[in-house]
Amino acid sequence: MNFYKFQGTGNDFVMIDNRNKTFPIDNQLIKKLCDRRFGVGGDGLILLENAEEADFKMVYFNSDGNESTMCGNGGRCIVAFAKFLNIFEDYCKFIAIDGLHEAEISGNNVKLKMSDVDEITENNGNFVLDTGSPHFVKFVENLHEYPVYEKGKEIRNSLTFRENGINVNFVEILDKNSIFVRTYERGVEDETLSCGTGATASALAFIKDKNLSEVNVNVLGGNLKIYAKKNHNSFKNIWLEGLATQVFFGTIDLNNF
């Protein structure tokens, strides 16, 4: 089987062209492929498949082997992968688990349209919202020194969120239109270098009571930009922009893996 490795601001994925439907979808196999010691290594695995109503379909699995909700950086990476496969030129539409997405690509820069967000709810001074995946957003100070893994794991496994899990974002305000975000991701069960839906959720929580339509988001793996149109407590025309690049490609014998 041929595979490719892509990364978007340090969020890395095993990418497979599954338009011929030959990949054996098995949770343990996917988990092993994502293992950084015994497999290829990645925060997740993504299948690119055919779609009648769009240019292609995205099927995303977390590194624990389970199919999951929308992944923003994974979405940007599959756009770069589809461009590499000559599926489209500069603009595409694709189907993901949360519906239809649009995207534009220029070089290694990918701009991905995210799902609309109907509301942001407050939770003891923090925020909860769904940007294709569920997110908890907490504003803190001195984020470089903050115990993200310990606090993220605690919130993700709390009684409120334990059943379905939630991604936990810690946000430090840098200036009037810039934030720094670190994220503990469910399914990975660890901090990742970047989370696209988490960066989006954090940006929306940041501009909830501000007159802003663009936010610069610094993550451990690089920089992202979020665009959004606010209407009271809801948001539309949300775009996630950043670099997505191919790291390497190879082949693997699944019969002896």
Side-chain angles (χ1 to χ4, degrees):
M1 182 194 73
N2 295 324
F3 69 89
Y4 298 79
K5 182 76 172 287
F6 277 73
Q7 67 85 21
T9 52
N11 222 179
D12 58 340
F13 308 94
V14 180
M15 314 288 293
I16 296 171
D17 180 358
N18 196 40
R19 288 176 291 176
N20 57 11
K21 289 284 193 175
T22 57
F23 180 76
I25 297 177
D26 175 87
N27 291 356
Q28 289 305 309
L29 170 64
I30 293 169
K31 182 178 181 180
K32 191 173 181 182
L33 283 167
C34 290
D35 192 285
R36 299 189 183 279
R37 293 177 177 84
F38 298 100
V40 178
D43 291 325
L45 179 143
I46 301 175
L47 302 178
L48 185 150
E49 298 183 348
N50 288 317
E52 291 184 3
E53 64 273 47
D55 293 295
F56 57 90
K57 178 182 178 181
M58 169 185 175
V59 184
Y60 173 67
F61 298 86
N62 274 326
S63 60
D64 62 2
N66 295 312
E67 187 172 357
S68 189
T69 48
M70 180 59 185
C71 175
N73 287 327
R76 293 191 306 103
C77 283
I78 200 172
V79 169
F81 184 39
K83 170 69 173 179
F84 168 77
L85 295 174
N86 295 314
I87 292 175
F88 71 98
E89 290 295 327
D90 303 312
Y91 169 84
C92 69
K93 292 183 179 181
F94 69 92
I95 298 293
I97 195 167
D98 63 336
L100 184 69
H101 289 266
E102 302 174 55
E104 304 169 358
I105 186 168
S106 177
N108 291 326
N109 190 71
V110 179
K111 192 173 180 181
L112 171 67
K113 189 173 186 182
M114 307 292 284
S115 298
D116 294 343
V117 173
D118 294 330
E119 65 174 347
I120 299 177
T121 59
E122 289 201 30
N123 183 293
N124 296 322
N126 306 303
F127 302 94
V128 176
L129 63 157
D130 194 308
T131 52
S133 290
H135 283 275
F136 182 97
V137 178
K138 181 179 182 66
F139 287 87
V140 301
E141 295 181 351
N142 196 21
L143 182 52
H144 278 289
E145 304 301 324
Y146 197 81
V148 169
Y149 176 81
E150 292 80 3
K151 295 296 185 180
K153 183 177 181 180
E154 178 183 317
I155 295 169
R156 180 258 187 268
N157 291 293
S158 64
L159 288 175
T160 305
F161 303 113
R162 181 184 300 167
E163 184 175 355
N164 297 315
I166 198 165
N167 303 286
V168 185
N169 307 274
F170 300 97
V171 184
E172 180 178 0
I173 299 173
L174 301 179
D175 57 44
K176 63 180 181 180
N177 62 353
S178 301
I179 58 176
F180 173 39
V181 179
R182 294 175 64 184
T183 304
Y184 179 97
E185 286 197 53
R186 66 170 187 176
V188 180
E189 304 307 333
D190 202 349
E191 181 180 7
T192 56
L193 293 180
S194 178
C195 174
T197 55
T200 304
S202 299
L204 298 185
F206 174 60
I207 66 174
K208 179 177 180 292
D209 298 316
K210 297 178 176 63
N211 186 28
L212 286 176
S213 58
E214 297 182 19
V215 181
N216 298 312
V217 182
N218 296 352
V219 294
L220 294 178
N223 300 299
L224 295 164
K225 181 169 281 191
I226 310 298
Y227 308 84
K229 184 176 181 180
K230 182 174 62 172
N231 181 21
H232 300 294
N233 198 36
S234 65
F235 294 86
K236 296 183 181 298
N237 203 27
I238 305 166
W239 292 79
L240 166 67
E241 182 178 18
L243 299 178
T245 60
Q246 184 179 147
V247 181
F248 64 86
F249 68 91
T251 60
I252 191 165
D253 183 358
L254 294 182
N255 293 320
N256 296 305
F257 181 64

